Amino acid sequence: MDRIRSLTALIAVVETGSFVAAAQRMHSSKAAVSRYVQELETYLGVRLLQRSTRRIALTEAGRDYYQRTRQILSDLDDADSAIGANNSRLIGHIRINAPLSFGTRYLAPLWAEFMERHPAITLDIELTDRRIDLLEEGFDLAIRIGNLADSSLVSRRLADSHAVICAAPAYIEKYGLPDTPEALSQHQVISFSYLPTGDVWHFQSASGETRTVTLKPRMHTNNGETIRAVVMAGQGIAMQPIFEICGDLQEGRLVTILPDWYGPTFGIHAVYPSRKHLSLKVKILIDYLAEKLAGTEWQAPAK
């Protein structure tokens, strides 16, 4: 049995969710990947995967074995990279999670240059606004926006942003402007499902006064682009991160409302599991993202 190949196959199946996708990642066949995993299970004398026609899941023994062996293979990549460090040849695979809109708009243009700099590194990038468990789901790195509550993760701040209240000119013409945060309760609010505070919005004025408003949104969605589309169509008011809509504000497709009140300010972070050490390839990637996003400012037009 090729032990390394079998471990690589197991990890690929777990992280891609299927033998077909794992075979594509490994540039192999489905039958070969299945054989590698079966040989590993026979060698260990324990079932690692529960297979059904609908899904593949780790057994309890498989979950522990997966996490341990994934770290071992990551360490092996680091050892290979350390040998190649003198000629800048980093080796390995990095699995990354990022929010959908931010990942599409601001991270997607960065990956090609990173791949050109490090041709022996392969990337697996998943975009979702769902809060994932890095260890359970096998991610090396995640980009998270907002407050970080998970103390088991280590983070590095890459950039800062803030939220603004916005609407389309067509909405304002039809429904008018709220003049206080409390007046938002009389308007059609479009809300982000994963907002940490739910339907409770917090505001602060330039003088330091704070307000908290509980709303009953007309619509909830877990996707920022959906919010943007509905608001630009004149169907509601939203609290959006400035990076989502700065172009729309500059071009006049959207306008900020309640200019004397500010939504929350938050950081954009790279987060990774708190393991015994940070993988060299992941450190290099974080440094690269920090380099590209350093000093980024998303501004609304001056009033």
Side-chain angles (χ1 to χ4, degrees), residues 4 17 47 50 52 107 114 116 149-150 167 201 236 249 277 297:
I4 298 298
R47 182 171 290 278
Q50 294 286 3
S52 72
L107 298 181
F114 182 81
E116 184 175 1
D150 191 341
W201 290 9
L249 295 173
H277 67 275
E297 293 184 3

Side-chain angles (χ1 to χ4, degrees), residues 195-258:
L195 191 69
T197 57
D199 293 333
V200 179
W201 290 9
H202 298 279
F203 299 87
Q204 183 172 338
S205 71
S207 64
E209 183 183 358
T210 60
R211 299 272 183 90
T212 298
V213 180
T214 301
L215 301 170
K216 294 182 178 180
R218 172 77 185 280
M219 186 180 93
H220 290 89
T221 177
N222 64 354
N223 177 253
E225 285 297 325
T226 299
I227 295 176
R228 176 174 171 267
V230 171
V231 172
M232 285 209 301
Q235 292 302 309
I237 292 174
M239 179 166 65
Q240 285 280 76
I242 187 67
F243 63 75
E244 290 265 17
I245 57 169
C246 55
D248 300 319
L249 295 173
Q250 294 288 349
E251 298 295 328
R253 293 184 291 269
L254 295 176
V255 297
T256 55
I257 60 179
L258 296 173

Side-chain angles (χ1 to χ4, degrees), residues 88-159:
S88 300
R89 184 175 174 80
L90 294 176
I91 299 169
H93 184 77
I94 307 177
R95 194 158 185 245
I96 306 152
N97 172 267
L100 181 58
S101 297
F102 188 83
T104 301
R105 291 191 180 198
Y106 298 105
L107 298 181
L110 304 181
W111 301 127
E113 181 180 342
F114 182 81
M115 292 169 68
E116 184 175 1
R117 290 188 188 185
H118 305 287
I121 289 181
T122 58
L123 301 178
D124 180 357
I125 301 163
E126 180 176 310
L127 302 182
T128 176
D129 291 325
R130 175 181 63 87
R131 182 61 63 92
I132 57 97
D133 185 311
L134 273 73
L135 280 173
E136 282 291 320
E137 300 183 50
F139 286 95
D140 299 290
L141 177 70
I143 305 302
R144 289 191 175 168
I145 298 171
N147 297 325
L148 301 178
D150 191 341
S151 60
S152 70
L153 301 177
V154 183
S155 68
R156 177 172 174 182
R157 202 177 191 98
L158 302 176

Side-chain angles (χ1 to χ4, degrees), residues 7 10-11 64-74:
L7 293 177
L10 173 68
I11 290 169
D64 181 64
Y65 189 73
Y66 160 74
Q67 292 181 358
R68 288 171 177 267
T69 55
R70 192 175 190 277
Q71 179 62 54
I72 289 169
L73 290 187
S74 179

